[in-house]
Amino acid sequence: MYPTTLTHLSRSNPFNAPLFSLQETVEPNPRVAADGPSRGLAADGPSRGLAADGPSRGLAADGPSRGLAAAAVAEGDSCEFGSRKYLLLCGFGGIISCGTTHAALVPLDLVKCRMQVDPDKYKSIGKGFSLTLKEDGARGLAKGWAPTFIGYSMQGLCKFGFYEMFKIFYSDMLGEENTYLWRTSLYLAASASAEFFADIALAPMEACKVRIQTCPGYANNLRQCAPKMFAEEGVWAFYKGVVPLWMRQIPYTMMKFACFERTVELLYKHVVPKPRAECTKGEQLIVTFTAGYIAGVFCAIVSHPADSVVSVLNKESGSTAVQVLKKLGPKGVWKGLVARIIMIGTLTALQWFIYDSVKVYFRLPRPPPPEMPESLKKKLGLTE
């Protein structure tokens, strides 16, 4: 009983991998597409891959496709899925979604950072806000807004733009059927690849932000902070936190994208009472926001220990990630978790909502959640 039940549960979890392999078979194709042989994952728009409500997640079989070749521009869309224009506008959507949301949450981020680096003084969120207001006034809550906005705008450009690019690239490598079967692994690989480069773009501004927020009297703004850090420690001052930043952001982004993609899929399948095609743009954006918040909670949990290390590391010159980790201990790395869950949950939901809204505004392709290709259904005996 128990082994059978556990096996059934493991197969039904949303992050499972296929428990079978496929043998390639050659079947005659009676259909000849008007615009040539299809290699993509067709959706209700011109789809070239796993299309999402946010960064595109649609998978449909439209012939013997093996890759993600762009189809003609669908009616109502401004460009082809996966085209240069599409990727550039996705990157622009990342700038808007990440830069604005992180800048808007600077006060909460400031208190969170101070709780991490000085837990004896800032013992709670409320205490952190009251002490900051008492010592620095209302303007003190906005410390670090400039490096936050610039840094996370650059990160958003790379995160969303490269995610779309890597998702298409990896899907072309896998082929249509394996792209569907291993879609969660594809989301994880594409997001990790994108975040690697995004963190290199973020690191200098993140270092300045933390130094401004957690070192009273060091610098009041970016114009003062960056030259001073460079004079004291050189270029290394801006990149010494990049490794712990990868430790924090890559797991965060992998969870952010994979959890969002699969949550959207499950919401449309089990919660939304009608097919996505029948939902209005507003209803689709509500699903996007809900899935984004759920993903954000998990993001905050998996990335919080590394976030604590980054905060302390950028405050203390001369320290290493290992030294900071030993200093904080098992309990210290979880300080400020509640504040970060509130911040990241709200942040992630707003980011997906804004990103998807940008795609709607620019009329970018937004294919529906993935469906099993017809060729795979035939191999599995799911069609007559």
Side-chain angles (χ1 to χ4, degrees), residues 46 48 68 70 79-87 164 168 365:
R48 294 209 321 153
L68 288 167
C79 61
E80 294 177 352
F81 181 87
S83 65
R84 180 178 297 179
K85 179 180 178 181
Y86 175 83
L87 295 175
E164 296 283 359
I168 292 169

Side-chain angles (χ1 to χ4, degrees), residues 19-43:
L19 301 178
F20 52 85
S21 60
L22 297 173
Q23 300 296 324
E24 184 175 0
T25 60
V26 179
E27 297 181 1
N29 180 23
R31 296 189 303 165
V32 178
D35 57 350
S38 168
R39 297 197 327 126
L41 299 161

Side-chain angles (χ1 to χ4, degrees), residues 52-356:
D53 249 5
S56 86
R57 269 186 330 121
L59 280 164
D62 189 29
S65 50
R66 291 191 53 208
L68 288 167
V73 178
E75 184 179 354
D77 289 340
S78 64
C79 61
E80 294 177 352
F81 181 87
S83 65
R84 180 178 297 179
K85 179 180 178 181
Y86 175 83
L87 295 175
L88 287 174
L89 287 175
C90 286
F92 177 72
I95 291 174
I96 300 298
S97 65
C98 292
T100 56
T101 51
H102 277 277
L105 292 176
V106 162
L108 184 59
D109 183 48
L110 181 143
V111 171
K112 182 267 301 179
C113 287
R114 290 183 174 182
M115 289 174 64
Q116 290 171 328
V117 301
D118 195 355
D120 294 331
K121 181 177 180 180
Y122 302 95
K123 296 181 179 180
S124 65
I125 299 175
K127 187 74 171 177
F129 273 105
S130 63
L131 282 174
T132 301
L133 287 170
K134 182 179 178 181
E135 294 174 355
D136 302 325
R139 293 185 63 181
L141 291 173
K143 274 190 173 183
W145 74 267
T148 297
F149 178 74
I150 296 170
Y152 283 94
S153 293
M154 296 302 296
Q155 187 209 38
L157 169 67
C158 298
K159 180 185 302 216
F160 284 93
F162 285 170
Y163 174 70
E164 296 283 359
M165 184 186 72
F166 279 116
K167 192 165 60 171
I168 292 169
F169 176 74
Y170 292 145
S171 185
D172 278 337
M173 292 175 59
L174 291 172
E176 181 187 27
E177 292 175 353
N178 284 326
T179 291
Y180 175 79
L181 291 172
W182 297 93
R183 59 193 184 280
T184 300
S185 299
L186 186 148
Y187 302 147
L188 293 169
S191 57
S193 300
E195 189 61 36
F196 176 86
F197 295 101
D199 289 343
I200 295 174
L202 169 64
M205 292 296 103
E206 178 74 2
C208 292
K209 175 195 76 103
V210 173
R211 192 69 65 93
I212 292 170
Q213 291 179 339
T214 61
C215 298
Y218 184 84
N220 292 320
N221 53 51
L222 180 61
R223 293 191 306 273
Q224 297 175 358
C225 184
K228 189 173 182 180
M229 289 178 65
F230 180 76
E232 293 176 352
E233 302 177 58
V235 177
W236 175 243
F238 302 104
Y239 288 99
K240 70 176 183 178
V242 72
V243 173
L245 201 58
W246 281 329
M247 292 167 56
R248 180 188 82 182
Q249 288 297 130
I250 289 179
Y252 164 86
T253 301
M254 292 171 71
M255 181 64 72
K256 174 179 179 175
F257 282 89
C259 186
F260 172 82
E261 300 270 19
R262 296 309 299 262
T263 301
V264 168
E265 187 178 334
L266 293 174
L267 287 175
Y268 278 116
K269 186 176 181 180
H270 300 293
V271 179
V272 179
K274 55 185 177 181
R276 178 185 179 274
E278 298 177 11
C279 296
T280 64
K281 291 288 195 298
E283 290 170 338
Q284 292 175 16
L285 289 174
I286 291 173
V287 173
T288 296
F289 183 87
T290 304
Y293 207 102
I294 293 170
V297 172
F298 290 100
C299 289
I301 294 171
V302 301
S303 62
H304 189 73
D307 181 65
S308 297
V309 174
V310 170
S311 296
V312 177
L313 191 63
N314 284 321
K315 178 193 175 187
E316 300 178 356
S317 59
S319 297
T320 65
V322 175
Q323 291 171 340
V324 171
L325 194 58
K326 289 180 179 179
K327 177 181 176 181
L328 291 174
K331 292 184 179 180
V333 296
W334 295 104
K335 290 287 185 180
L337 177 61
V338 175
R340 193 158 189 269
I341 286 177
I342 296 171
M343 184 184 82
I344 296 299
T346 306
L347 193 75
T348 306
L350 288 173
Q351 283 178 359
W352 280 119
F353 184 84
I354 294 170
Y355 180 72
D356 213 19

